[in-house]
Amino acid sequence: MRMSVFFLPTLKETPAEAQIASHRLMLRAGMVRQTSAGIYAWLPLGHRVLRKIEQIVREEQDAAGAQELLMPTIQPAELWRESGRYDDYGKEMLRIKDRHERDMLFGPTNEEMITDIFRTAVKSYRNLPLNLYHIQWKFRDEIRPRFGVMRGREFLMKDAYSFDTDAAAARRSYQVMFLAYLRTFARLGLRAIPMRADTGPIGGDLSHEFIILAETGESGVYCDPDWLTLDVLTDAPGYQDDLNPFFERYTGIYAATDEKHDPTACPVPADQLVSARGIEVGHIFNFGTKYSEPMNARVALADGEQVAVHMGSYGIGVSRLVGGIIEASHDAAGIIWPAAVAPFKVGLINLKPDDDTCRSLCEDLEGTLAMGGDDQVLYDDRAERAGVKFADMDLIGLPWQIIVGPRGAKTGTVEVKNRATGERQEVETTRALDLVA
Ligand code: 5CA
């Protein structure tokens, strides 16, 4: 991609309305544009990151055995009357009437709809366990949308729903998702802390929030320092293993506390805890038959007995994660993308686009890099001052920069800069390609 044609409306000034770093940086880097309070258009740079996060979330859900489907954003009110939540949900639910005066709503979550889909299709224990998920826009008319995409009114969520014949099987489905969440956040370059949580309007008796540490977070967290040394991607069990010991170890120790440590809820002694603030990026619930009973979602067991299915639901804030990752990874100059979610891997800066040697060297590098895919290189071929180019490239935070100037270009030498460490090296072009590979 060439910057001269890429739609990247960066801002030089810091937008006054943005209170936290991620909101400021997303606006300045031309990732999003607010269209109404708490509602955003995703511009090409932001959209690339959103899609990458979405894809990692999807791959880990698939690996855990969940199956993707896609439910609509608009739902009929009847389903919510059946569960009893139509009135309970209050003003956060955006209620709509269609031309026939039928009550509809923009879905804030999908427990009712998935239970309806399930009950019309599944009648036997033989079809269980089952876990269905989708990645779809939700709407919650938050009273105070703030911090950009972190607390929006419209936001992208992955929500999965598990169905099991009994409480023990449902607990296993919960453990599988718990593990999938740890793996997902680790792949995104984040350390997420699972914290016992209240179940709130979703209901149930077992729930965890996944919190990433950031000063600007809205949640208070206490964390066992042991957690901070666990390497989820290598130390955690596989989905086929006995998940119980791991689950007991890592779900027993995180307190459902907010501002102060409660020793009755948290088994870890106060002096072994780290206290911090964090951002909730995921929330999982095991709520048994809370929806299946009133909505009559039953299966026949082997002996013919009809039982209400045990359910769980599992949410990840996909659009919130974009802001969350920036909160966890930025500096004074801008964003520092973890490689897995970077909109492009390399920013190629041509300091003198009207110089033939610079241009042909850059075009060679661009061509070679682009063979790896359309997310490999963003080529700054604009006729701008060097200072502007450096500032923009630091702001948008691509993991690597390759800087081509007229002096080096004559001898085939370029500068490679690592955005995270700031380290710079003058190297030959082939070596530059190795470094960023
Ligand atoms: N039905 C359940 C699980 S699928 C549910 O809706 N859970 S939730 O309410 O906790 O939302 C799941 C995740 O969506 C949260 O952990 C958070 O990361 C994200 N989320 C919730 N509200 C917002 C919001 N207003 N803006 C951005 N992300 C949000």
Side-chain angles (χ1 to χ4, degrees):
M1 177 61 71
R2 294 199 172 180
M3 225 143 145
S4 56
V5 295
F6 191 48
F7 184 62
L8 182 68
T10 56
L11 306 175
K12 272 168 206 66
E13 306 301 322
T14 298
E17 76 271 24
Q19 299 164 33
I20 61 171
S22 60
H23 190 192
R24 278 196 295 274
L25 290 170
M26 287 181 75
L27 293 171
R28 282 193 51 215
M31 292 178 63
V32 288
R33 227 195 86 174
Q34 182 175 301
T35 57
S36 309
I39 305 182
Y40 290 85
W42 291 78
L43 307 183
L45 190 77
H47 187 231
R48 280 175 175 263
V49 177
L50 188 67
R51 277 195 342 231
K52 288 213 161 171
I53 296 173
E54 185 182 330
Q55 184 55 22
I56 289 174
V57 169
R58 174 177 289 119
E59 284 168 14
E60 291 300 326
Q61 291 292 292
D62 292 347
Q67 299 177 49
E68 186 169 11
L69 48 64
L70 184 57
M71 291 179 269
T73 55
I74 305 294
Q75 306 187 18
E78 290 97 81
L79 288 177
W80 289 69
R81 293 206 173 97
E82 271 193 65
S83 72
R85 278 207 295 183
Y86 190 64
D87 293 328
D88 293 354
Y89 222 94
K91 284 193 179 281
E92 269 198 17
M93 181 186 275
L94 181 64
R95 294 154 208 260
I96 308 165
K97 274 196 199 298
D98 71 9
R99 67 196 297 160
H100 306 293
E101 294 290 305
R102 277 190 285 254
D103 291 324
M104 313 289 283
L105 57 99
F106 195 121
T109 177
N110 284 63
E111 279 81 3
E112 283 79 357
M113 183 170 280
I114 198 77
T115 305
D116 182 49
I117 291 169
F118 176 90
R119 72 182 168 183
T120 59
V122 181
K123 305 288 181 195
S124 163
Y125 76 97
R126 280 189 220 94
N127 300 108
L128 303 184
L130 182 65
N131 189 326
L132 300 170
Y133 77 96
H134 72 160
I135 302 174
Q136 177 63 291
W137 293 93
K138 307 293 189 292
F139 195 93
R140 295 183 187 172
D141 206 349
E142 302 271 354
I143 186 162
R144 225 168 276 110
R146 57 183 184 154
F147 302 154
V149 301
M150 301 270 262
R151 182 168 295 284
R153 293 198 296 165
E154 190 185 48
F155 58 97
L156 188 61
M157 192 207 284
K158 182 286 299 178
D159 37 327
Y161 302 89
S162 65
F163 301 89
D164 285 282
T165 48
D166 58 36
R171 193 175 162 80
R172 185 178 156 82
S173 295
Y174 186 92
Q175 291 176 355
V176 166
M177 280 291 114
F178 183 92
L179 199 56
Y181 274 43
L182 297 180
R183 295 184 54 87
T184 303
F185 297 127
R187 277 189 62 191
L188 293 172
L190 297 168
R191 180 169 287 279
I193 299 167
M195 189 173 91
R196 279 221 186 117
D198 291 334
T199 51
I202 310 287
D205 58 4
L206 178 61
S207 176
H208 285 88
E209 288 176 13
F210 291 78
I211 309 280
I212 57 172
L213 299 184
E215 275 310 303
T216 44
E218 295 188 274
S219 314
V221 188
Y222 286 94
C223 171
D224 181 329
D226 261 10
W227 178 259
L228 302 174
T229 58
L230 175 81
D231 183 346
V232 170
L233 293 179
T234 55
D235 301 345
Y239 295 121
Q240 308 312 323
D241 299 338
D242 176 11
L243 300 182
N244 257 315
F246 181 79
F247 189 71
E248 294 308 327
R249 168 85 182 90
Y250 287 109
T251 58
I253 58 176
Y254 300 104
T257 53
D258 196 29
E259 291 304 330
K260 70 182 199 315
H261 180 236
D262 171 5
T264 59
C266 173
V268 182
D271 62 354
Q272 288 175 31
L273 291 165
V274 180
S275 162
R277 298 204 66 75
I279 300 160
E280 180 202 314
V281 289
H283 199 162
I284 62 178
F285 304 83
N286 177 333
F287 43 73
T289 59
K290 179 180 152 104
Y291 299 90
S292 55
E293 278 289 357
M295 294 185 68
N296 209 20
R298 292 174 201 281
V299 293
L301 299 181
D303 63 5
E305 189 196 344
Q306 294 278 327
V307 294
V309 285
H310 287 250
M311 292 174 59
S313 74
Y314 313 90
I316 290 183
V318 176
S319 49
R320 175 177 289 185
L321 271 165
V322 179
I325 290 169
I326 297 174
E327 286 299 325
S329 185
H330 68 272
D331 63 14
I335 302 166
I336 303 171
W337 290 116
V341 301
F344 299 93
K345 183 158 78 176
V346 179
L348 175 61
I349 301 178
N350 186 344
L351 292 178
K352 223 168 178 341
D354 55 2
D355 176 286
D356 287 343
T357 319
C358 282
R359 199 175 53 244
S360 76
L361 195 146
C362 280
E363 286 177 3
D364 284 353
L365 283 169
E366 182 196 23
T368 308
L369 287 164
M371 281 194 281
D374 86 334
D375 62 348
Q376 295 297 294
V377 59
L378 178 64
Y379 171 28
D380 192 349
D381 59 337
R382 297 172 305 168
E384 287 282 357
R385 285 185 296 112
V388 170
K389 295 190 175 200
F390 291 140
D392 277 350
M393 207 52 95
D394 278 353
L395 173 63
I396 68 173
L398 311 183
W400 295 99
Q401 296 173 13
I402 298 180
I403 301 149
V404 178
R407 210 159 30 86
K410 281 202 198 90
T411 58
T413 310
V414 298
E415 189 171 32
V416 175
K417 174 176 158 184
N418 179 308
R419 174 66 181 89
T421 63
E423 193 191 338
R424 295 158 173 279
Q425 299 180 53
E426 283 231 27
V427 294
E428 307 224 314
T429 50
T430 45
R431 174 90 183 111
L433 290 169
D434 286 346
L435 281 173
V436 304

